[in-house]
Structures are given as structure tokens and as C-alpha cells.
Amino acid sequence: MLTSCKVIKDTTKVSKETYWQQHVDYTMDVDVDVKKYQYKGKQTLVYTNNSPDDLNKVFYHLYFNAFQPGSQMDVRSLNIKDPDRRVGDRISKLNSNEIGYIKVNSLKQDGVAVSHETVGTILEVQLNKPIKSGESVTLEMNFDAQVPVQIRRSGRNNKEGVALSMAQWYPKLAEYDFQGWHTPPYIAREFQGVWGDFDVTIHIDKNYTVGGSGNIQNPQEVGHGYQDDSKDLNLPKGDKLTWHFKAPNVHDFMWAADPEYIHDVLKMENGIDLHFLYKKTLEAAYLKNWKEFQPKVAELMTYYSENVGQYPYKQYSVIQGGDGGMEYAMSTLITGQRKFGSLFGVTAHEMAHTWFQFLLASNESLHPWMDEGFTTYISNKAENEILKENKENPHAGSYRGYRTIVAKGYEESLSTHADRYNTNWAYSTASYSKGNIFLSQLEYVIGKENVANGLKKYFNDFSFKHPTPNDIKRSMEKTAGLDLSWYLNEWTETTHTIDYGVKSIDNKRITLERIGQMPMPTDVEVVYVDGTTESFNIPLEMMRGHKPTIATVLKDWGWAMPTYSFTVSKAVKSVIIDKSGLMADINLDNNILEVK
């Protein structure tokens, strides 16, 4: 059963004493010149200030301005040790007709012109009068824009020939929350947005097919596979078609357009329509992959809905475009010239972002690990099950990546702002690998069933909101009944590492040692001389309890104690720490000791 938009919106109305978030409704009308890759836009937004503060200013993101020589994105790419190969020095070489821009021509606050200044990728607006707490304001804007050459996420004529990948294409109101305004310059990382409804009208050459966020409102006027075959099309005359979309309760809007798109629709039994838009000029093998992976995408939708929370919208679109894979509201852009496994894999990841960031809208700039890491976790599990890969640990790659960067000395704390990592390698490993391990390692700490139930509680408590790291911690704590403050602090706010070892075996006496700074509960398997085995769990004292386990539970180990000894009932042949491999111990060589 789909949740209605009205019900969805009502769930965000929480009293200011406990939680608040801003709200914005966009109405946009854009007229596209496909030959010049330019468009004119009209935007009216109604912004509601649910904060306890009166606001004297507002800010907009003008992302396309980053694609200009000398921009902060350009300079950052020229100076970082390991630049993204898609960016490199390409921005510095753009001509005037290749750059991106969004130029604000006029802006009014409740019908009266308001002062504004463009500073790089941010529009700073000094309001005529404050938006008082609990009040709404209408902001009307006219703007001109040019689509940049495809370099990063957005752009025209990507490497596979898709004409328009329109992400980050409109003046987007910046987020204001309990931490204040969030206005980082755009340097190619990811995004944050204000929850609201989008009503978007696009006028474009009639030969183009459009897809993206939202539900089409006029299928009979545009055709192109959106039509109900039981009705007659009513295509308007002239050189352009008008595409009208509405996207309820989202925090972004993406669209893509190309004259060679094939448009397939797969209708799921639960009422969700899956849209697939890809170029008919793809090689036969790629076209075959695009046809054959569609039922698997339906399986992904079911898996995520069952294991995190029910998808609440009427459609989801998988669209060929962009520069790799990138998630958006109710949709994704992916490159399409891929083998089946790659096509499925990138879609599995980007679709999972619908839950981790688009429904659980954490701040991707401040906490990218909550976005990329959690997405990697659930998509790894989905791929393992749907493709029947039968991997004992589908997250093994993340553990290898984490251990490598630690060994090389490039690791940085997960608390680092996404823009401020010294290297792209450190950012990626932190966000994807260490963020994934946050959850997979929790399976070791509190048990797999508690993590599975904790994710569902997290979704139920924080979907359509802006959760923080403390919120995922509290969801897991409430589910498991254990204290995880130490875990959140050590894993996300420090670069402390885990290293436990079997120090000695003296007949029936076993001594373990903690070598790394980060403490953990400890699972131990003992193999006796007679060939039998016994499992033990040593709780971490700070947890104030232990995970569900069939192992013998021993006395707590206080974190400050460097060693821990216990006596078993029979002579010991060998001892192994963490047979599951889910603990991110950086030195596995000392995790096992055999009596010689």
C-alpha cells in the first residue's frame, strides 16, 4: 500500500521543542534552447520558517557556476594530490560557450525586489524584512542558465552521447537547521536540501524524451511511452512539447532529456512504476542488458522496501546519463555502456540511496559516511541475495580498502567535512568503506538481528527528516538495549584502530591483549586438544551488556585494561579471535595462536 503524499507531509510536523525542519515548495517553468544548451527559468518558491529563529537572510546554491575556469571546483581539482579523472584540468580549459552558469536576473520577496549578490556558487540574499519564526515567504526569481559540458554529474553530451543530464540545474534554496545555514561552495562533492513539493514545467524540442524526478502530469500531451494506450494522444503543434512533473515531499529534482531515448515501463504489483530511459543507439549487447536487468531492479525495490522501509512514491526512474552513477529524488543517472553485472551493481547502489539520503536525509557534506556507507552496506547485501553470490561476507572489499589506507597512513576521521579531506582516496575510503563497516561491524557488536531491526527503527523514526549520527546510534541502542556512545565516538570521530591479539596460552589459561586504541567486545573460539570447540563472548564493560549469543559469556573487559585472562576446562590446542571477520582488526596475524 502506497502512503499518500498528505500522510507523508503530516509526519514531519513535529513540535519545535523536540525537532523542527524547514519546508519549501517550488514552482518552476523553464524554456530550453537545445541548440545553444541554454534555458530561461522562472521560479516561485514558498519558504516556511519552522525554526525558532527569525531569518534576515537566505541563500541559494547556483551549482552550475562551478563549471567555470578559476572556480573553487576548478582550483581544488588542479591542486589536490589525486584529482578525479573526470574533472582533472578540464574546467580550466572551458570556452565561454562550454561553461555552466546560472544568472539571477531578478528576485522578489513577497512581490518587492530584494537585494542579492552572486558569490561563486552561492547567491546571498539580504531580505527586506525578516522571515519570523512560523511564517512563510514567497520568493520569485527569473534566471538564465547554460548547461556546461559534461564534467561532473551534470552537463551536456556526456561520453555516451546523452544530450542533457540536468542535475543541480536550478537555484536551490540552502538548508537552515539547528546548526545554522549550510552554504559550502560546490567543489564536486554531494548535497543537502530542504524538504518540499516540486512542480516543474519543461518546454523542450518535441523530438526529445524527458524523464527524471516526479510524476508526469500530462502524459497525453507528451507521449514517448508515458501514455495510456487506451487513450488517444493529444500532441500539441509546434516545435516544442511541454512536460509537466510534480514531485511530492522530496528535497531535489533532476531531469534528463535526449532525442534517442527508449522508454520502458515496468509496472510492479504494489503499484510502483519503474521507468527505464536509455539510448536506442547502444550496441546490441548493452541494449540486451538494459532489457534483462529490469525485473532485477524490481527485486531491488522489493528488497530495500522490506529491509529498510516501504518506498513511498509512485515511480522510480533509471536513466542513462551523467558520468557514472548518481542518485536523485525518485530517480538515478547512470552511464549505460556496461556489462550486466556492472549495470545491475551501479543501479543497486544508486537506488539504495533513495533510502539513505533521500528518505533518511542526512547531511552529505558533514556526514557522507551515513549516505555512501549505509548505501554500500544495504546494496552489498541486496546484490549478494538477488544475484545469489553466496558471499560469506559481502563487505569484504570495504575491509580491505580500510586496512590498506590505514597501513599507508592516509586515513582521516569520518568527522571531516566532505570538502576538506586531503585526498579523494581518504574521502572515498572513509565514506564508502569505513561508513559501510560502521554497520557491518555493528553486526559483530550487537548482533545481526539487532542491526536489521535497528535499520527499520531508524527508517520509521527518521524518514522524511534530517537524521544525524546520534540518531542512528540511538536507533541501534534502543533496539539492542546496549550503550553505543563509545562506538560512535571511536569509529567516527577518531582514527583509533582496532588490534586485538592472543598473547599466550598456558595449558588451560588464555591471555588476550588489546594493542589498538579502540576497544571492542571480543568473540573467541577455543579449539581443545581433544578436537572439540567452545565459543566465548567477552563483553566490553562500557556497553553495559552483551549481544544475543549462544557463546559462553565471560566477565566484562574494561577498556583501560591492556590484557584479559580467563581459564577454560580442558587443555587448549588453538585460540582465534573473531572468526566472523566482521571486526575491523587491522592486524589479523595475531588473532590466532596455536600451541606447538
Side-chain angles (χ1 to χ4, degrees):
M1 179 67 69
L2 289 174
T3 307
S4 71
C5 300
K6 177 67 169 138
V7 172
I8 291 173
K9 187 179 290 185
D10 285 348
T11 65
T12 67
K13 293 181 179 178
V14 185
S15 68
K16 292 180 184 178
E17 287 74 20
T18 56
Y19 178 83
W20 57 267
Q21 64 189 31
Q22 307 293 64
H23 185 88
V24 62
D25 291 330
Y26 289 86
T27 301
M28 292 187 284
D29 188 293
V30 294
D31 190 17
V32 183
D33 184 334
V34 296
K35 294 181 180 179
K36 293 182 178 180
Y37 302 103
Q38 297 176 349
Y39 53 101
K40 295 183 179 297
K42 296 179 180 179
Q43 180 192 86
T44 300
L45 61 82
V46 178
Y47 181 50
T48 301
N49 179 18
N50 291 319
S51 81
D53 309 316
D54 295 345
L55 303 179
N56 297 306
K57 295 181 178 181
V58 297
F59 300 86
Y60 292 75
H61 297 279
L62 307 175
Y63 293 112
F64 274 4
N65 289 357
F67 299 98
Q68 299 174 11
S71 70
Q72 291 200 57
M73 184 190 287
D74 178 31
V75 174
R76 171 68 166 169
S77 183
L78 293 173
N79 286 279
I80 197 169
K81 184 176 182 179
D82 57 341
D84 188 316
R85 287 176 292 179
R86 292 165 293 192
V87 182
D89 63 353
R90 293 176 64 201
I91 298 176
S92 67
K93 297 177 179 178
L94 293 177
N95 297 319
S96 60
N97 65 337
E98 297 174 321
I99 66 171
Y101 63 72
I102 298 176
K103 297 178 179 178
V104 177
N105 299 320
S106 65
L107 181 61
K108 295 180 180 180
Q109 175 188 358
D110 291 330
V112 180
V114 65
S115 175
H116 57 88
E117 180 183 4
T118 297
V119 181
T121 61
I122 298 296
L123 183 74
E124 302 176 352
V125 182
Q126 181 65 53
L127 297 171
N128 295 328
K129 58 180 181 179
I131 311 171
K132 293 189 176 297
S133 176
E135 292 185 350
S136 298
V137 65
T138 299
L139 297 168
E140 298 172 275
M141 178 189 294
N142 288 334
F143 64 94
D144 294 330
Q146 180 168 285
V147 186
V149 171
Q150 177 75 53
I151 292 178
R152 192 69 184 95
R153 296 196 172 94
S154 311
R156 68 203 204 213
N157 301 323
N158 80 342
K159 64 181 181 181
E160 297 177 350
V162 175
L164 294 168
S165 299
M166 299 297 287
Q168 294 80 57
W169 60 275
Y170 62 94
K172 180 179 178 180
L173 198 68
E175 180 66 282
Y176 182 84
D177 63 15
F178 69 101
Q179 293 176 302
W181 286 103
H182 295 271
T183 60
Y186 181 43
I187 65 157
R189 293 285 186 242
E190 298 185 29
F191 315 98
Q192 189 186 27
V194 185
W195 286 103
D197 297 342
F198 284 73
D199 186 321
V200 179
T201 301
I202 301 164
H203 310 279
I204 194 168
D205 187 287
K206 64 182 180 182
N207 294 322
Y208 282 62
T209 298
V210 179
S213 305
N215 307 309
I216 190 70
Q217 302 297 298
N218 59 336
Q220 298 311 115
E221 294 180 21
V222 297
H224 293 296
Y226 283 95
Q227 72 271 19
D228 182 338
D229 293 335
S230 66
K231 299 177 182 179
D232 295 328
L233 292 179
N234 182 27
L235 299 180
K237 297 180 180 179
D239 295 330
K240 291 187 176 183
L241 289 179
T242 296
W243 298 71
H244 184 198
F245 294 92
K246 288 185 178 181
N249 209 25
V250 295
H251 49 89
D252 201 4
F253 189 100
M254 177 275 289
W255 59 279
D258 192 89
E260 296 177 337
Y261 271 152
I262 295 172
H263 180 193
D264 296 334
V265 182
L266 189 157
K267 293 182 175 292
M268 296 183 65
E269 292 182 359
N270 59 7
I272 299 170
D273 290 346
L274 299 178
H275 295 266
F276 301 88
L277 291 94
Y278 53 101
K279 288 178 75 74
K280 61 186 177 184
T281 53
L282 284 170
E283 294 178 13
Y286 297 137
L287 288 173
K288 183 173 181 286
N289 291 340
W290 273 86
K291 290 289 186 183
E292 291 185 349
F293 96 123
Q294 294 176 19
K296 293 295 184 184
V297 177
E299 291 185 51
L300 285 170
M301 177 64 75
T302 299
Y303 183 92
Y304 297 142
S305 292
E306 290 179 350
N307 288 277
V308 186
Q310 178 60 49
Y311 183 77
Y313 305 111
K314 294 180 180 179
Q315 74 91 12
Y316 185 85
S317 296
V318 181
I319 304 173
Q320 183 185 358
D323 62 355
M326 181 61 195
E327 74 279 1
Y328 298 98
M330 304 166 67
S331 57
T332 182
L333 283 174
I334 62 173
T335 46
Q337 295 177 1
R338 296 173 178 266
K339 295 180 179 180
F340 184 89
S342 176
L343 189 65
F344 177 80
V346 70
T347 303
H349 183 87
E350 303 309 336
M351 177 182 270
H353 275 298
T354 292
W355 283 264
F356 296 115
Q357 209 276 326
F358 270 99
L359 290 171
L360 294 154
S362 55
N363 187 329
E364 290 180 300
S365 293
L366 294 182
H367 317 296
W369 59 274
M370 296 180 68
D371 160 45
E372 295 295 354
F374 294 5
T375 289
T376 300
Y377 172 82
I378 201 66
S379 62
N380 283 350
K381 293 174 78 71
E383 288 184 67
N384 197 41
E385 179 172 309
I386 293 170
L387 297 183
K388 297 178 171 56
E389 294 174 333
N390 299 317
K391 295 178 180 177
E392 186 174 347
N393 181 5
H395 316 295
S398 290
Y399 286 81
R400 287 193 299 270
Y402 165 67
R403 290 183 176 114
T404 298
I405 203 168
V406 169
K408 297 289 186 181
Y410 282 88
E411 185 198 9
E412 296 180 57
S413 168
L414 291 189
S415 62
T416 306
H417 190 285
D419 296 339
R420 300 290 293 133
Y421 281 86
N422 286 328
T423 63
N424 281 314
W425 183 27
Y427 162 80
S428 297
T429 303
S431 302
Y432 291 80
S433 298
K434 201 173 178 184
N436 175 17
I437 297 170
F438 179 90
L439 290 179
S440 64
Q441 187 170 242
L442 263 183
E443 292 183 2
Y444 171 80
V445 175
I446 66 174
K448 289 186 177 182
E449 186 174 349
N450 277 330
V451 172
N453 291 333
L455 280 182
K456 293 176 182 178
K457 179 171 179 55
Y458 179 50
F459 180 86
N460 290 335
D461 289 350
F462 295 103
S463 56
F464 298 99
K465 299 177 186 176
H466 294 290
T468 66
N470 190 63
D471 295 324
I472 181 64
K473 175 187 80 80
R474 291 295 291 138
S475 292
M476 293 295 173
E477 284 183 329
K478 291 176 182 179
T479 300
L482 298 167
D483 189 331
L484 295 172
S485 298
W486 61 276
Y487 185 73
L488 181 69
N489 170 261
E490 294 274 348
W491 193 250
T492 71
E493 297 176 9
T494 77
T495 54
H496 293 173
T497 56
I498 302 164
D499 184 8
Y500 279 82
V502 185
K503 186 175 183 180
S504 64
I505 302 171
D506 184 6
N507 193 17
K508 299 177 184 180
R509 185 75 169 169
I510 298 167
T511 299
L512 311 178
E513 61 181 334
R514 178 183 58 78
I515 304 158
Q517 288 178 283
M518 181 171 173
M520 289 285 282
T522 313
D523 286 345
V524 181
E525 182 175 281
V526 177
V527 179
Y528 296 114
V529 172
D530 64 9
T532 61
T533 63
E534 188 173 4
S535 297
F536 298 90
N537 174 262
I538 305 170
L540 181 65
E541 185 182 277
M542 291 188 294
M543 288 175 62
R544 306 302 166 193
H546 59 82
K547 68 182 175 184
T549 181
I550 61 174
T552 300
V553 179
L554 300 177
K555 185 179 181 298
D556 293 354
W557 187 346
W559 74 267
M561 305 304 180
T563 62
Y564 181 99
S565 297
F566 65 102
T567 302
V568 293
S569 59
K570 294 183 286 187
V572 176
K573 179 181 180 182
S574 65
V575 176
I576 182 171
I577 294 173
D578 180 30
K579 193 173 181 180
S580 74
L582 291 175
M583 184 167 68
D585 193 309
I586 62 166
N587 179 16
L588 300 179
D589 292 339
N590 59 9
N591 283 32
I592 185 169
L593 182 63
E594 293 187 15
V595 176
K596 296 181 180 179

